[in-house]
Amino acid sequence: MAAPPGGAGGGEKREPALLLAGVKRRYAQGAQALEILRGVDLKVAQGQSVALVAPSGSGKSTLLHIAGLLEHSDEGEVFIAGTSTARLADRERTRLRRLNIGFIYQFHHLLGEFSALENVAMPQMIRGLSRAQADARAKELLTYLGLGARLTHRPSELSGGEQQRVAIARALANAPRLLLADEPTGNLDPRTSDHVFGALTELVRATGVAALIATHNLELASRMDRRVTLREGKVVELA
């Protein structure tokens, strides 16, 4: 594998990349309120990988959406790289998310009309980098992930595993402090899943980003620094 690309921005800071304190979330279900999160406390340090292992319907996606500032909590606090988000306006939340958080989903959501290189360069250009700078960073990441010979290929010309590796590169293109992934290998066969997850964890360690990754796969979760689950709406550490 090639030399690792540059790491998460601001790695010298000591604040946790993610801190959830007493986070609660409930949804209306008819005349009743369905409590999904009942006081979640969770800290993910810079450079640390945490596996979130919990069954469907337990609130994993809700937790990730709140951590990623895609959804508001009803109570509690969310800190991103030391910044409290409770009183931020939507525009400020969007900016904080763009600068500090990368997302990987079960389905890659690549733009079909663009090449692998362009898919990874685009978020960097939106952030303000020049085309040359964005292309250089995209090429570095994709080469590190074993896709150096596939830079000009569109998603339809790539295998499922290759598409998801492009999605990983895209999520890390802007050197976020926090990476959130929701079943990033859940749509892949076991062999491809193992390969993609290995590439993801290697890149997480190489860049020093903090990672919170939801997965059903206990074997894959065992490769990470910590494992947590959701029980009765709260985060519990696993051995």
Side-chain angles (χ1 to χ4, degrees):
M1 188 170 274
E12 74 282 353
K13 295 204 173 185
R14 301 180 65 88
E15 306 97 338
L18 172 66
L19 177 62
L20 305 180
V23 168
K24 296 183 179 181
R25 187 71 172 105
R26 62 187 69 89
Y27 297 98
Q29 190 176 58
Q32 297 183 327
L34 180 63
E35 290 188 283
I36 302 298
L37 303 179
R38 302 182 180 184
V40 166
D41 297 311
L42 177 65
K43 179 167 67 174
V44 184
Q46 201 74 51
Q48 186 178 58
S49 61
V50 178
L52 174 59
V53 185
S56 298
S58 61
K60 292 196 310 297
S61 293
T62 297
L63 190 156
L64 288 173
H65 288 168
I66 290 173
L69 307 183
L70 296 172
E71 186 174 335
H72 289 269
S73 63
D74 293 308
E75 297 180 40
E77 266 278 34
V78 178
F79 294 86
I80 302 295
T83 298
S84 170
T85 65
R87 295 177 176 82
L88 294 182
D90 286 345
R91 179 178 294 182
E92 294 171 312
R93 287 170 63 89
T94 298
R95 182 177 184 277
L96 188 65
R97 182 169 62 244
R98 185 190 308 125
L99 294 178
N100 291 281
I101 304 174
F103 294 90
I104 306 171
Y105 300 99
Q106 181 173 343
F107 300 96
H108 52 77
H109 298 301
L110 299 177
L111 299 174
E113 65 271 32
F114 295 101
S115 68
L117 186 75
E118 290 167 335
N119 267 279
V120 180
M122 199 170 302
Q124 301 175 73
M125 294 170 66
I126 291 172
R127 186 172 176 176
L129 269 66
S130 69
R131 177 64 186 266
Q133 290 173 314
D135 281 354
R137 169 74 172 168
K139 182 177 180 181
E140 184 182 31
L141 283 164
L142 290 168
T143 299
Y144 186 81
L145 288 168
L147 295 172
R150 312 287 276 169
L151 301 179
T152 61
H153 289 64
R154 294 184 179 184
S156 61
E157 300 170 310
L158 301 173
S159 69
E162 288 172 336
Q163 291 171 357
Q164 197 64 327
R165 277 184 280 162
V166 174
I168 291 169
R170 179 183 59 188
L172 291 169
N174 281 329
R177 295 181 186 230
L178 174 65
L179 177 68
L180 300 172
D182 195 357
E183 297 289 350
T185 62
N187 196 41
L188 304 174
D189 65 80
R191 182 176 179 180
T192 304
S193 174
D194 183 80
H195 182 71
V196 169
F197 200 90
L200 171 58
T201 53
E202 284 188 37
L203 191 52
V204 163
R205 291 189 175 97
T207 59
V209 66
L212 178 61
I213 301 177
T215 178
H216 283 103
N217 192 314
L218 293 175
E219 193 280 323
L220 297 182
S222 69
R223 303 182 192 180
M224 305 186 71
D225 298 325
R226 289 166 54 205
R227 286 150 296 282
V228 301
T229 189
L230 279 166
R231 290 181 187 157
E232 298 181 352
K234 295 186 177 184
V235 166
V236 178
E237 294 278 343
L238 295 174

